[in-house]
């Protein structure tokens, strides 16, 4: 098929290392983590020791100064293996860049090395019970009081919410304003008044801790404001969201490729009416159709990865990528479940888990309806 040219021998060697690590340290335990509702902290620490956390961070902050292709490899390998409980991408490639790109020197030195080592696990809290993709509708407030902010409000659907030691909280420092009144705060979860709610019981991604967070008069030091002044939060979010949507797309395409391969293997072995399921024209045509769409998604995704490496991935293109690849992912999963028959609906089969895991991809990082609106506004 169409070769991928972005990944040289060094990156493929890194890919092999990541794959072996996941096979040994994550895959055997993932079923138990699904029951627990979270992965183990030990996995995070082991990943940190091997440089699998925050690989793009400069060496002075504990990373290895690699380019984003190394992060892409990690994201893809987690998706290929169906290990949806592992929340490294959000930690390494969403939270860490916010701090690196917008934080003070003191914030970088305090938090980034601990994030790279796995000593500190992070999350970002945007979504609220009454405000999902509409970030201007945030109700959480952070009001300045001397040398502290007083944080009040709540968040929901927060990835890494139970394990997190540090959370970037989107809050209104000026409640009278819309986007201009929004700021980002670095909030340590051990702070008095910070409460982690229940670990939410989701349709899929069972091993991923996804939580409610509550803030009751939490005192946040003023120096924990992200950026040089209040009101920069919305701009900061818009700057970083294209990279987040690229990550969603990378996971979507990799998961689609894995599901297609599992299904091909299954229909070659499974028999119906005395012959392998692959012998039926409908099966072959469905797989051919899916293969074409997955290949197109891979090419589009790799081109956007190239643009991101050159710092040229814009907001509308990232929105198109996220919307299209996740729609394809959900289509692939549904068709592959169908080709598995009744067994495709059994949790013990990887395709059942992948089908359940895939649906949220069209919702988080901005719903696909919002992605279409972003694209339409660029006309």
């Amino acid at each position: 098929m169409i070769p991928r040219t972005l990944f040289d021998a060094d990156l493929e060697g890194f890919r092999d290392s990541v794959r072996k690590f996941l096979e040994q340290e994550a895959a055997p335990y993932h079923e138990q983590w699904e029951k627990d509702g979270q992965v183990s902290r030990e996995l995070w620490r082991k990943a940190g020791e091997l440089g699998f956390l925050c690989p793009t961070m400069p060496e002075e902050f504990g990373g290895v100064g690699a380019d984003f292709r190394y992060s892409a490899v990690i994201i893809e390998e987690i998706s290929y293996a169906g290990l949806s409980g592992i929340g490294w991408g959000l930690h390494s490639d969403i939270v860490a860049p916010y701090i690196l790109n917008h934080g003070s020197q003191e914030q970088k030195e305090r938090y980034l090395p601990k994030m790279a080592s796995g000593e500190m696990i992070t999350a970002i809290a945007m979504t609220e019970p009454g405000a999902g993709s509409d970030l201007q509708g945030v109700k959480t407030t952070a009001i300045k009081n001397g040398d502290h902010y007083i944080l009040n409000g709540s968040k929901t659907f927060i990835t890494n919410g139970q394990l997190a030691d540090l959370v970037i909280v989107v809050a209104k420092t000026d409640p009278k304003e819309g986007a201009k009144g929004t700021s980002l705060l670095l909030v340590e979860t051990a702070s008095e008044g910070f409460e982690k709610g229940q670990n939410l019981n989701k349709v899929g991604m069972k091993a991923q801790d996804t939580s409610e967070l509550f803030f009751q008069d939490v005192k946040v030091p003023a120096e924990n404001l992200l950026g040089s002044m209040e009101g920069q939060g919305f701009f900061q979010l818009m700057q970083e969201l294209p990279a987040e949507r690229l990550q969603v797309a990378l996971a979507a395409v990799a998961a689609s490729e894995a599901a297609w391969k599992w299904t091909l293997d299954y229909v070659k072995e499974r028999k119906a009416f005395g012959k392998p399921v692959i012998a039926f024209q409908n099966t072959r045509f469905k797989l051919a159709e899916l293969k074409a769409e997955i290949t197109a998604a891979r090419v589009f995704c790799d081109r956007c990865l190239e643009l991101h490496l050159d710092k040229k991935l814009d907001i509308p293109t990232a929105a198109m990528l996220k919307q299209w690849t996740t729609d394809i992912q959900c289509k692939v999963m549904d068709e592959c479940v169908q080709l598995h028959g009744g067994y495709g609906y059994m949790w013990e089969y990887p395709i059942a888990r992948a089908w359940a895991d895939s649906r949220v991809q069209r919702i988080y990082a901005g719903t696909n309806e919002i992605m279409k609106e972003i694209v339409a506004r660029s006309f």
Side-chain angles (χ1 to χ4, degrees), residues 3-22:
R4 302 183 75 185
T5 57
L6 273 168
F7 301 94
D8 56 23
D10 288 343
L11 276 153
E12 291 305 331
F14 179 72
R15 185 184 295 277
D16 287 341
S17 298
V18 174
R19 184 173 297 169
K20 289 174 182 175
F21 175 83
L22 294 173

Side-chain angles (χ1 to χ4, degrees), residues 98-168:
Y98 272 104
I99 298 173
L100 181 68
N101 296 336
H102 306 289
S104 66
Q105 186 69 19
E106 192 275 334
Q107 289 170 347
K108 296 174 190 178
E109 292 174 354
R110 191 193 327 169
Y111 295 123
L112 291 177
K114 292 180 180 179
M115 291 174 63
S117 70
E119 178 184 349
M120 175 173 276
I121 298 173
T122 60
I124 184 165
M126 300 186 197
T127 305
E128 297 183 0
S133 296
D134 179 16
L135 293 175
Q136 295 190 57
V138 164
K139 301 298 183 186
T140 296
T141 60
I143 306 303
K144 190 79 173 289
N145 184 11
D147 59 356
H148 285 77
Y149 288 95
I150 305 300
L151 180 66
N152 282 286
S154 64
K155 301 290 182 177
T156 193
F157 309 140
I158 307 306
T159 301
N160 295 344
Q162 290 292 311
L163 290 172
D165 306 294
L166 178 73
V167 180
I168 295 179

Side-chain angles (χ1 to χ4, degrees), residues 34 42 82 87 111 143 145 151 167 211 216 222 250 270 305 308 316 367:
E34 288 179 339
E42 184 65 20
Y111 295 123
I143 306 303
N145 184 11
L151 180 66
V167 180
S211 306
Q216 180 65 47
L250 286 163
R270 180 72 175 170
L305 176 54
H308 180 62
T367 65

Side-chain angles (χ1 to χ4, degrees), residues 6-8 11 55-56 64-72 93 305 309:
L6 273 168
F7 301 94
D8 56 23
L11 276 153
T56 63
V64 295
D67 65 52
F68 186 75
R69 292 177 300 168
Y70 285 81
S71 291
D93 304 303
L305 176 54
L309 291 167

Side-chain angles (χ1 to χ4, degrees), residues 213-225:
L213 303 178
F214 301 97
F215 320 112
Q216 180 65 47
D217 294 330
V218 179
K219 293 179 68 175
V220 183
E223 60 264 26
N224 279 30
L225 177 72

